[in-house]
């Protein structure tokens, strides 16, 4: 093992869309671990939209990234040295760690990846991990799906949206996904079994939405916001539920655009719109994770991963999220 460690730092705060110059890959000497610590070799990095907000320097539900300090995110790695009795050399783990070749941890917040069997460990950063838990908890707790209802999902070909739609199908709903390319729409319909998939970039998008949802929209799982959500909100039914998971269309906006005000729709339709973050449902994680793993093992849930190789390419993977490059979960394989 080398004692040299490459680490990505936040070089400056992005203005609008992140660019390469916002990231700095620094080489540091790797120190020896102390009592109670473990040394983890990174296998995979997760890149997720919520990380964009952490770059702004404003505390929200999570602390911001500090300038000239390591970026952190979901990591799958292998314990290669341990002075912590909870972990053995060779253990595979998942946790929030540095964008780096190696990380040193006290073990707090680190979980061993056990009971996965033939299910790929990379799913711990996707369908059986945070995105899967976000989909499951948001849909079940706020969406409260009922058989025969219609659900519309924005960002449907992403890591969360693609799982929401599949769970909704298992619950007997009509599922309409919204994505940004014909390739993504084909994947949603042909492989994931969505009833309809709409390309929001088409001029006929709203007409297509009306035709796909002739009886209106009972649940709108929103990952995107902006004009896409403005269109869907015009179609919501009485007592509709809107789990508000993300607003990726506006994460890089230097000023917030003015759009239709949806308060009137919510009032006249007695609808519920509720924002959430996955940690709101921490008490349900064990049960939800077991259910997701079981569904994957049974072949009831499928997934797609977009993998970019090389730690040095992590910024490209992250920037690609906001350009719609990925289908399913975006990962970086650190080699």
């Amino acid at each position: 093992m080398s004692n040299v460690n490459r680490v990505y730092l936040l070089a400056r705060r992005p203005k609008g869309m992140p660019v390469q110059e916002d990231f700095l890959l620094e080489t540091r000497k790797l120190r020896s671990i102390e009592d109670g610590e473990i040394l983890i070799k990174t296998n995979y990095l997760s890149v997720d939209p919520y990380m964009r907000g952490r770059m702004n320097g404003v505390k929200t539900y999570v602390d911001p990234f500090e300038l000239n300090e390591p970026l952190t995110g979901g990591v799958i790695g292998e314990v290669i040295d341990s002075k912590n009795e909870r972990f053995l050399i060779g253990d595979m783990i998942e946790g929030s760690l540095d964008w780096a070749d190696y990380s040193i941890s006290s073990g707090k917040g680190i979980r061993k990846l056990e009971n996965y069997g033939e299910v790929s460990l990379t799913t711990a950063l996707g369908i059986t991990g945070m995105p899967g838990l976000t989909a499951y908890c948001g849909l079940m707790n706020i969406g409260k799906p009922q058989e025969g209802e219609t659900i519309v999902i924005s960002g449907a070909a992403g890591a969360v949206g693609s799982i929401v739609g599949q769970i909704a199908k298992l619950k007997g709903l009509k599922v309409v996904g919204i994505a940004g390319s014909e390739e993504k729409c084909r994947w949603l319909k042909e492989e994931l079994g969505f009833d309809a998939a709409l390309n929001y970039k088409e001029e006929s998008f709203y007409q297509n939405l009306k035709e796909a949802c002739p009886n209106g929209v009972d649940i709108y799982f929103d990952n995107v916001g902006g004009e896409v959500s403005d269109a869907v909100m015009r179609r919501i039914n009485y007592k509709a539920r809107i789990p508000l998971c993300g607003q990726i269309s506006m994460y890089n906006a230097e000023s917030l655009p003015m759009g239709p005000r949806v308060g009137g729709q919510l009032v006249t339709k007695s609808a519920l719109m509720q924002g959430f973050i996955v940690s709101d449902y921490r008490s349900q994680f064990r049960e939800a994770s077991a259910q997701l793993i079981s569904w994957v093992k049974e072949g009831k849930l499928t997934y797609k991963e977009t993998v970019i190789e090389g730690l040095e390419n992590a910024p490209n993977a992250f920037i690609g999220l906001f350009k719609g490059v990925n289908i399913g979960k975006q990962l970086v394989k650190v080699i």
Side-chain angles (χ1 to χ4, degrees):
M1 188 200 82
S2 171
N3 65 349
V4 173
N5 191 24
R6 297 177 301 161
V7 184
Y8 258 115
L9 313 180
L10 180 62
R12 65 184 190 185
R13 302 209 182 277
K15 296 186 183 299
M17 180 72 73
V19 295
Q20 284 286 341
E21 290 75 16
D22 298 328
F23 305 85
L24 174 65
L25 186 58
E26 184 174 271
T27 300
R28 296 180 171 183
K29 184 176 181 180
L30 190 63
R31 67 172 176 84
S32 300
I33 61 171
E34 301 175 354
D35 288 344
E37 293 183 329
I38 55 176
L39 176 62
I40 299 162
K41 184 181 186 301
T42 304
N43 288 4
Y44 288 90
L45 294 177
S46 173
V47 291
D48 299 285
Y50 82 90
M51 300 170 71
R52 176 61 183 85
R54 298 187 69 188
M55 293 179 168
N56 291 335
V58 178
K59 181 175 175 60
T60 55
Y61 61 88
V62 64
D63 290 335
F65 293 130
E66 298 296 335
L67 288 173
N68 300 310
E69 293 295 330
L71 295 158
T72 60
V75 164
I76 288 175
E78 179 181 359
V79 176
I80 59 172
D81 197 7
S82 176
K83 292 185 178 180
N84 183 316
E85 61 183 13
R86 288 179 51 222
F87 297 92
L88 301 175
I89 293 174
D91 282 345
M92 299 302 297
I93 62 87
E94 181 271 332
S96 182
L97 297 166
D98 293 347
W99 277 20
D101 292 309
Y102 303 94
S103 290
I104 293 174
S105 171
S106 66
K108 183 178 179 180
I110 303 296
R111 68 177 176 118
K112 295 182 184 180
L113 297 179
E114 301 173 315
N115 303 318
Y116 272 69
E118 295 181 359
V119 176
S120 171
L121 293 184
T122 58
T123 65
L125 295 176
I127 196 167
T128 67
M130 186 269 286
L133 293 170
T134 301
Y136 182 94
C137 294
L139 177 61
M140 300 306 293
N141 288 281
I142 303 172
K144 299 185 184 302
Q146 300 295 319
E147 186 173 358
E149 291 187 322
T150 295
I151 183 172
V152 173
I153 305 153
S154 59
V160 173
S162 60
I163 304 168
V164 173
Q166 292 182 80
I167 297 174
K169 286 299 295 182
L170 291 174
K171 298 297 179 181
L173 277 71
K174 178 179 181 179
V175 178
V176 178
I178 301 173
S181 73
E182 290 307 308
E183 179 187 10
K184 291 179 179 181
C185 288
R186 283 195 300 272
W187 178 60
L188 294 175
K189 287 193 66 177
E190 296 174 8
E191 296 190 39
L192 300 192
F194 282 36
D195 296 284
L198 312 177
N199 185 344
Y200 71 86
K201 296 179 181 178
E202 292 185 355
E203 289 186 11
S204 58
F205 166 63
Y206 185 66
Q207 181 61 36
N208 296 341
L209 177 66
K210 289 198 296 182
E211 292 174 1
C213 306
N215 298 317
V217 177
D218 300 297
I219 305 171
Y220 174 42
F221 198 103
D222 187 12
N223 294 298
V224 170
E227 294 181 358
V228 168
S229 292
D230 294 341
V232 179
M233 289 297 294
R234 293 164 60 189
R235 304 295 303 163
I236 62 171
N237 287 335
Y238 180 70
K239 293 285 187 178
R241 289 84 68 199
I242 301 106
L244 195 59
C245 180
Q247 300 282 277
I248 194 171
S249 70
M250 293 181 280
Y251 288 171
N252 296 306
E254 296 187 54
S255 62
L256 291 180
M258 179 64 72
R261 294 182 170 95
V262 300
Q265 281 287 90
L266 297 174
V267 170
T268 58
K269 298 296 177 64
S270 297
L272 170 72
M273 175 183 282
Q274 182 177 334
F276 76 100
I277 54 175
V278 67
S279 59
D280 294 341
Y281 302 103
R282 192 177 302 276
S283 64
Q284 301 176 21
F285 282 5
R286 184 180 295 276
E287 176 186 349
S289 180
Q291 178 64 84
L292 291 164
I293 292 173
S294 176
W295 278 335
V296 173
K297 287 181 176 178
E298 294 167 9
K300 293 179 178 179
L301 291 182
T302 188
Y303 62 95
K304 197 175 189 73
E305 297 171 338
T306 301
V307 182
I308 289 181
E309 294 195 348
L311 177 64
E312 64 278 6
N313 292 317
N316 288 333
F318 181 71
I319 294 167
L321 285 176
F322 303 101
K323 296 181 177 180
V325 172
N326 63 297
I327 299 180
K329 178 62 188 173
Q330 177 69 69
L331 298 172
V332 176
K333 183 177 181 181
V334 177
I335 55 175

